Amino acid sequence: MSVSTECMTTLTQRPLPAVGPDGVNPSRARSAVRALYTRPALTAGDLSAPLLALPDGHPGAGRLPGAVQLSDVRRTVVRWRGLGIGGVKAFALGHDRDNAGSTALSAGNLMVQAVSAIREAASDLAVTTEVCGCSWISGGECVLRTPAGGIDLDATYRLMGEMAVQHAEAGADVVSPTAMLEGSVRAVRVALDGSGLRDIGVNPNLAIHTTLYGPFKALMATDPAAGHRRGLQLEQGRAQRDTVVQARRWIAEGADSLTLQPVMTAVDVLVRLRADQEAPLVAYSTSGEWPALRELGSEGMTEYIAMLRRAGADHVLTFAAEQVAAHLERNRG
């Protein structure tokens, strides 16, 4: 029996039932069905917060979220852990700098004190540290130089390896070589293994050259005398390809996970990297991103961080961690 054209038109033009505002298909997605498929886009445990340890009395405390005096480290990480934040990455303002970065290895330096304080205050918080000469070497250099001005690879490897061991013994779970210096990840891994610290992770950076490190560099006095770190960072124009190549090198050298920074202007790189890599990926929303996120408010910055998770990040390191975690807590359920 054929159906008339008039009947077909009547059926296809029939108004849809009145529906509510939520659900993939609101006419059929009852609340119990929606619950089967709904997963949180983001949890506080997906976040790490940068902690910028400053000497007591330093006027820069509070200039960035997580920029705190040493005496405030404990209460800060207790507050973060109470919000469910999963990790912290520690940086320290270097002091008594010289051309050899000697204070980076001194007993009880600011980094060691900060890591010890974090570990004592929040024993289950994942602690990562920056392993780099920029806070400790005169002129904000990431690497040690030969008398002729070239990079002294052997001396730089030794410094990074010894820093990694020192941080791990203070309580770090993961160490993060920052300068993109070929062989540095291997040197750090060898130093850790040789000290019986095989369970400490190595998380090198995939750092793209940008202005989005500016507020951190100004506060922590790590802006190099040369004015840039080209040669130790990736260029923006080749970031998609070169980041994948560098990630493979780091994994071959012994990296356990990888950090991409800055992520705000490299989401395309994050997607490409995720397609290539099974290793855990950390997206670092750097200090220069913070002013823009602050303007978005807590809901907007939460949506942004959730997008980074969807794009492929296993974890997000962000100056917005506390505000996002508090927003998630307020809106839980």
Side-chain angles (χ1 to χ4, degrees):
M1 181 177 177
S2 61
V3 180
S4 69
T5 303
E6 182 180 355
C7 182
M8 289 283 287
T9 302
T10 301
L11 288 173
T12 56
Q13 291 182 350
R14 186 175 60 188
L16 289 172
V19 296
D22 55 352
V24 173
N25 189 329
S27 66
R28 291 189 292 278
R30 296 180 176 183
S31 60
V33 176
R34 290 198 304 271
L36 293 177
Y37 305 116
T38 300
R39 297 292 180 273
L42 183 70
T43 70
D46 297 325
L47 306 172
S48 280
L51 187 136
L52 283 52
L54 305 170
D56 287 341
H58 192 281
R63 195 178 299 170
L64 285 168
V68 298
Q69 299 179 43
L70 181 63
S71 57
D72 290 327
V73 167
R74 287 178 175 82
R75 67 172 63 96
T76 299
V77 296
V78 166
R79 185 174 69 249
W80 289 347
R81 197 67 192 102
L83 289 168
I85 290 172
V88 59
K89 185 168 185 178
F91 303 85
L93 182 71
H95 45 86
D96 303 319
R97 303 182 187 198
D98 59 28
N99 289 332
S102 305
T103 316
L105 302 177
S106 63
N109 66 32
L110 188 58
M111 177 66 92
V112 170
Q113 293 184 68
V115 172
S116 299
I118 295 166
R119 181 54 67 218
E120 291 170 7
S123 60
D124 61 342
L125 198 66
V127 180
T128 302
T129 62
E130 180 190 51
V131 174
C132 188
C134 61
S135 287
W136 309 97
I137 298 172
S138 301
E141 289 273 16
C142 293
V143 297
L144 296 172
R145 297 284 180 179
T146 66
I151 297 175
D152 189 332
L153 288 174
D154 290 340
T156 302
Y157 292 158
R158 283 194 300 272
L159 177 65
M160 295 176 75
E162 291 177 26
M163 287 177 71
V165 170
Q166 181 195 58
H167 296 178
E169 290 178 341
D173 301 295
V174 179
V175 295
S176 186
T178 300
M180 296 186 58
L181 190 63
E182 188 170 359
S184 59
V185 171
R186 183 181 297 110
V188 166
R189 182 73 267 166
V190 168
L192 290 169
D193 290 353
S195 298
L197 297 164
R198 295 181 181 276
D199 60 343
I200 302 301
V202 179
N203 173 276
N205 281 350
L206 297 162
I208 300 169
H209 182 73
T210 179
T211 62
L212 293 176
Y213 307 127
F216 175 96
K217 291 194 297 183
L219 176 59
M220 305 300 279
T222 60
D223 209 0
H228 62 80
R229 290 195 166 92
R230 286 201 156 111
L232 296 173
Q233 294 177 337
L234 299 170
E235 293 292 334
Q236 293 181 17
R238 291 182 52 89
Q240 274 206 10
R241 289 169 291 178
D242 289 353
T243 302
V244 169
V245 171
Q246 190 64 53
R248 293 175 182 175
R249 286 176 179 157
W250 286 155
I251 296 299
E253 287 192 20
D256 302 289
S257 56
L258 303 162
T259 290
L260 174 66
Q261 63 179 47
V263 72
M264 177 179 279
T265 52
V267 176
D268 59 325
V269 179
L270 175 60
V271 172
R272 176 85 177 265
L273 196 58
R274 176 78 289 162
D276 185 76
Q277 283 294 325
E278 295 294 334
L281 299 179
V282 178
Y284 185 8
S285 176
T286 58
S287 61
E289 301 179 29
W290 167 244
L293 295 182
R294 185 175 54 206
E295 291 300 313
L296 291 176
S298 59
E299 185 170 359
M301 64 178 72
T302 300
E303 292 176 4
Y304 167 67
I305 301 301
M307 178 273 294
L308 298 179
R309 289 277 285 123
R310 292 195 308 273
D314 295 286
H315 201 75
V316 180
L317 173 64
T318 174
F319 288 89
E322 182 169 351
Q323 284 194 237
V324 170
H327 177 81
L328 293 171
E329 176 67 23
R330 289 193 300 269
N331 293 274
R332 187 168 57 181

